[in-house]
Amino acid sequence: MTTLHHTSVNLPENVREELVRLLNRRVGLFTDLYVQTKLAHWNVRGPHFIAYHELFDSIASHLLVAQDSMAERAAALGGQAGMTVQAVAEESGLGQWPIETRQDSAVIHLVGDRLARAAGQIRQDIDTAANLGDADTADLFTEVSRQLDQDLWFVEAHYTE
Ligand SMILES: [Fe+2]
C-alpha cells in the first residue's frame, strides 16, 4: 500500500493512492522501454543502420521525458515516486528484449511492437485518470500518448509491408 506524504492537493487520498500506483507502474514500464530502445539503438545493424540508430535514440529521449513527468506527478500527488529496477523486471510485462536480434528489419518491428503496446496502455490510462477526477494526470497521459503515437508513426513508416 502506498504511503502518501501530506499535500494540499485537494484530491481525495484514496484517489491519489490509486493514481500514484498507476503512475508508478507506467514509470516502470517506461524505464524498461527506455532500456530496450537503447539496446535497439546500440545493437541494430544493416542497410538502415544510421537512420534507425538515430531514430531509436530520439525515441529513447522522449521516453525519459515522459518517465520523469509521470514520476514527478506521483510525487506531486504525495506519493513515493518510481520503482527499483528489480521491481521493473518483475512488473513491466514488456518481456525481455531479444538482445541477439540485430538485423534492422527485425529490430524496427520489435521497437514498433513495444511502442504500440505501451501506447495502448497509456491511452487507457487517460480514461482511468479522467474517471478518477484528475484532469491533470489525464492531460499528462494524453501528452505522453500523443508523443508515443508520433514515435510509433516514425517507426511504422519504415515498414515495407
Ligand atoms: Fe548513442
Side-chain angles (χ1 to χ4, degrees):
M1 180 51 68
T2 312
T3 307
L4 295 182
H5 300 291
H6 171 75
T7 169
S8 300
V9 170
N10 64 346
L11 288 164
E13 189 168 327
N14 64 317
V15 165
R16 288 190 289 115
E17 280 180 352
E18 203 165 327
L19 288 162
V20 166
R21 269 196 302 275
L22 177 61
L23 284 159
N24 281 334
R25 279 202 299 275
R26 299 307 171 244
V27 172
L29 174 65
F30 276 55
T31 303
D32 192 3
L33 197 53
Y34 170 76
V35 173
Q36 297 205 17
T37 306
K38 291 297 281 198
L39 287 168
H41 165 74
W42 293 323
N43 290 299
V44 68
R45 297 181 64 84
H48 301 290
F49 166 76
I50 196 63
Y52 291 5
H53 174 73
E54 290 177 357
L55 175 61
F56 297 153
D57 213 27
S58 157
I59 293 170
S61 72
H62 300 155
L63 295 171
L64 275 191
V65 170
Q67 178 212 49
D68 192 58
S69 298
M70 293 188 291
E72 292 188 356
R73 181 66 188 160
L77 292 171
Q80 199 170 53
M83 59 171 66
T84 64
V85 290
Q86 288 77 11
V88 170
E90 281 179 23
E91 294 182 30
S92 146
L94 217 46
Q96 185 165 311
W97 178 260
I99 199 165
E100 72 287 350
T101 304
R102 308 181 75 174
Q103 185 62 44
D104 52 8
S105 56
V107 172
I108 192 86
H109 281 87
L110 283 167
V111 171
D113 166 72
R114 269 39 176 196
L115 285 177
R117 283 158 57 195
Q121 194 76 73
I122 297 290
R123 205 180 318 284
Q124 283 185 351
D125 298 338
I126 298 169
D127 291 339
T128 304
N131 290 336
L132 285 167
D134 184 358
D136 299 297
T137 300
D139 178 64
L140 171 55
F141 282 138
T142 303
E143 189 181 347
V144 172
S145 171
R146 185 167 47 241
Q147 183 65 63
L148 273 179
D149 282 354
Q150 188 182 42
D151 288 334
L152 188 56
W153 163 39
F154 275 46
V155 166
E156 288 181 337
H158 292 89
Y159 293 179
T160 49
E161 65 276 10

